[in-house]
Amino acid sequence: MLANIAHSKLPVEQFNTELRDICGAFQTQATEQQTEHRGALQVEERFGLEFAHVATDIHAIRRSNRDVRQDDGENFFLIFQEEGRALMSQNDTTCMLQPGDMILIDSAKPSEFTFFGKFQRQLSLHLPRQEMSKRFGELIHGGKFLTQNDQTAQALSAVVSKAFAHNSNETQSNYLREALFGLIGAMLFEQASDPNAAGIDADVSGAQTLKGGLNFIDQCFSNNELTIPQVADHLGTSMRQLQRSFALIGTTPTDYLIQKRLEHACQLLLARHSKPGTQLVSTIAYASGFNDVSYFNRQFRRAFGCAPGQF
């Protein structure tokens, strides 16, 4: 939708600061090995509304209750997924955004986007809370989701694309603005009348399983006895459903568990450089969740092309 924007590498903390300046109190989470971020942030105005272009390969962006209390949450964000995938959660909605999908986020409520450290682009339309409340009243709720196949989503994308295609005069801008709000109203009314209307093509249950699996593995990966069947049991789902949910992000539960353990091992190995001899490789392997040093060595060499002791 936007013109090409030059992406650059910058420190994760710098990206976090710029994100807060543009969108409010959000927190970024990098992968354990990530110190630089590849992407861009840019703000443009069209028909009196602010659009933020966010491109990133960060692991996740979150807004907690504490973050909500730090600013006034003056906007709703209509997020257009342009490239890549994002696992999104707000209120009772958890969904996987694919290119062309969109979701309405309430900045007065906690929310979470997980990108898994893979490059993605989003366009965030900032909708003033006061105007949204005046127009739609109690119909407004964060977490409203539309897939790329939904006709309202396609119409919204067309209006926004039109706004960026050329500089409109004041009369054209006013018509485009009214068309935009009219379509947002249609989305809110349809979903209030039929909560399942936008979920036909969305693997919502799979996204919820994925989120639960990711969180459980993130918390428990260092447990040497953790197995993937235990993850499925914890979530109350089948192994097949768990495998299908992780396929949404192009991986398997086993590969994700190994990835988390290897990332943690890398951090311990790097820390060892500042205090040589403080930890044996075998100790690091066990502390990272591996219970077989030979298996750890094979997985590490496969991932990084060298032995752990050479890292």
Side-chain angles (χ1 to χ4, degrees):
M1 293 179 185
L2 285 173
N4 289 332
I5 295 175
H7 302 150
S8 60
K9 288 188 176 182
L10 66 159
V12 171
E13 281 303 314
Q14 182 179 339
F15 174 74
N16 192 48
T17 299
E18 293 181 6
L19 180 68
R20 292 172 69 90
D21 289 342
I22 293 172
C23 298
F26 284 83
Q27 301 294 330
T28 58
Q29 178 189 345
T31 62
E32 289 196 43
Q33 294 175 275
Q34 190 175 24
T35 57
E36 286 188 326
H37 152 267
R38 180 173 71 92
L41 286 165
Q42 180 172 312
V43 180
E44 296 192 37
E45 185 176 306
R46 291 292 188 276
F47 42 72
L49 296 173
E50 187 177 86
F51 290 81
H53 175 89
V54 182
T56 180
D57 64 357
I58 207 78
H59 176 71
I61 295 175
R62 297 185 175 92
R63 183 171 169 86
S64 65
N65 280 312
R66 181 180 179 182
D67 295 323
V68 170
R69 292 192 295 270
Q70 288 181 6
D71 59 30
D72 53 15
E74 62 184 8
N75 291 316
F76 285 85
F77 302 124
L78 184 59
I79 308 291
F80 298 80
Q81 189 72 24
E82 296 193 292
E83 180 181 343
R85 295 178 291 189
L87 181 67
M88 186 279 149
S89 298
Q90 184 169 70
N91 294 330
D92 296 327
T93 299
T94 298
C95 58
M96 179 67 72
L97 294 182
Q98 307 279 0
D101 296 345
M102 61 190 66
I103 192 164
L104 184 68
I105 299 297
D106 184 352
S107 65
K109 300 286 182 65
S111 57
E112 180 176 346
F113 289 85
T114 306
F115 310 123
F116 315 102
K118 297 181 179 179
F119 185 78
Q120 63 84 47
R121 290 189 303 117
Q122 293 180 335
L123 181 65
S124 175
L125 167 57
H126 297 183
L127 299 163
R129 180 175 301 278
Q130 185 174 358
E131 181 168 2
M132 290 285 283
S133 297
K134 182 178 179 180
R135 286 176 178 266
F136 308 121
E138 295 182 357
L139 285 177
I140 315 169
H141 294 285
K144 299 297 185 182
F145 171 67
L146 290 177
T147 70
Q148 59 183 311
N149 297 322
D150 184 274
Q151 291 178 332
T152 304
Q154 293 170 1
L156 278 164
S157 294
V159 170
V160 173
S161 295
K162 183 75 172 178
F164 282 100
H166 56 82
N167 291 322
S168 304
N169 60 38
E170 183 177 354
T171 301
Q172 290 173 316
S173 293
N174 288 337
Y175 280 125
L176 286 172
R177 181 187 176 100
E178 287 306 310
L180 179 79
F181 277 107
L183 289 166
I184 291 172
M187 173 187 75
L188 295 172
F189 180 79
E190 179 183 19
Q191 295 198 18
S193 304
D194 181 5
N196 296 318
I200 296 173
D201 298 313
D203 189 356
V204 174
S205 64
Q208 291 172 336
T209 300
L210 174 61
K211 182 184 178 184
L214 292 171
N215 288 341
F216 188 63
I217 290 174
D218 287 350
Q219 294 168 10
C220 303
F221 68 86
S222 61
N223 179 354
N224 305 77
E225 298 181 356
L226 179 65
T227 65
I228 300 306
Q230 288 175 341
V231 177
D233 288 343
H234 175 78
L235 299 175
T237 190
S238 66
M239 282 290 294
R240 182 178 180 182
Q241 182 59 37
L242 185 65
Q243 296 280 358
R244 288 181 60 189
S245 70
F246 272 77
L248 291 170
I249 57 171
T251 189
T252 67
T254 298
D255 286 346
Y256 184 76
L257 176 59
I258 292 172
Q259 174 190 328
K260 292 298 297 183
R261 287 172 169 171
L262 288 175
E263 287 177 355
H264 186 66
C266 286
Q267 292 300 305
L268 296 180
L269 288 166
L270 289 172
R272 191 176 72 153
H273 286 299
S274 61
K275 297 180 180 180
T278 54
Q279 278 190 310
L280 298 174
V281 169
S282 58
T283 303
I284 288 174
Y286 292 127
S288 302
F290 293 94
N291 54 19
D292 184 318
V293 177
S294 296
Y295 179 72
F296 167 64
N297 287 334
R298 289 197 302 273
Q299 291 296 331
F300 196 95
R301 187 179 291 276
R302 180 181 300 170
F304 303 108
C306 66
Q310 299 170 325
F311 185 73

